[in-house]
Amino acid sequence: MANKTWQQQWSFDFTDEAALEAEMAEAEAREIALVESGPCAEAVQYNPERQLIEIQLKNGAIFAFPPHLAQGLQNASPSELEEVWLGADGLSVHWDSLDADFSIPGLIQGIFGTKAWMAELDRKGGQQSSLAKQQAARANGKKGGRTKKTQPL
């Protein structure tokens, strides 16, 4: 294996004020495009009667979710949940006292926390027992239970 020397492969001058200004303008334009095209909120509140966090989107839609689904909100009191505020860009919600922050697009996609938090939610969801599950299990048991797995030839 030949010994190759390291060589700089970029030519960005971090001291160039004009390049920095151009990059900032480009980032601001991307943010404006995201706000105009994506789900952007204009209001957020905790509804204690329904026990839901309600997010009013600029397009007129309302997105709501129960706080127990969101990482960091599961044990919060109603008064703590009412201290929610909306980011200036309308793309995030925050609870300072709970140290909890969520992106609006993420919440709409069903992302209520880290990957580990979401995996735990999925695990708990599979363990839920309802009357319908109990009746289905009994009916299946009367038929002989689960079918045996067959071995491939």
Side-chain angles (χ1 to χ4, degrees):
M1 188 179 239
N3 187 8
K4 293 184 178 182
T5 58
W6 178 83
Q7 198 172 23
Q8 181 176 343
Q9 307 242 335
W10 65 91
S11 61
F12 183 78
D13 183 5
F14 290 101
T15 61
D16 184 5
E17 196 69 30
L20 181 61
E21 290 296 325
E23 192 172 331
M24 294 284 287
E26 184 180 318
E28 288 172 358
R30 282 194 310 266
E31 180 183 15
I32 290 169
L34 180 61
V35 168
E36 290 175 351
S37 67
C40 189
E42 61 184 13
V44 62
Q45 70 175 3
Y46 173 66
N47 183 330
E49 292 175 9
R50 297 180 61 206
Q51 297 180 357
L52 292 173
I53 305 296
E54 297 175 340
I55 301 170
Q56 174 76 40
L57 302 178
K58 287 187 178 179
N59 65 6
I62 297 174
F63 176 74
F65 65 95
H68 72 270
L69 289 181
Q71 185 175 9
L73 304 183
Q74 70 276 16
N75 296 320
S77 69
S79 62
E80 289 174 316
L81 292 171
E82 288 174 350
E83 294 176 8
V84 62
W85 58 276
L86 191 60
D89 56 5
L91 296 174
S92 56
V93 292
H94 310 275
W95 286 265
D96 287 335
S97 64
L98 300 171
D99 193 25
D101 307 286
F102 298 93
S103 77
I104 303 288
L107 289 170
I108 291 172
Q109 292 176 21
I111 301 170
F112 296 104
T114 62
K115 286 183 181 181
W117 174 262
M118 296 303 295
E120 182 64 15
L121 277 182
D122 287 344
R123 187 185 71 74
K124 286 180 180 177
Q127 292 178 342
Q128 293 288 329
S129 183
S130 65
L131 182 59
K133 275 188 174 182
Q134 293 170 0
Q135 290 172 344
R138 285 193 188 103
N140 192 33
K142 289 178 184 176
K143 295 178 187 176
R146 293 181 187 226
T147 57
K148 302 259 188 265
K149 290 184 179 178
T150 58
Q151 295 294 328
L153 297 176

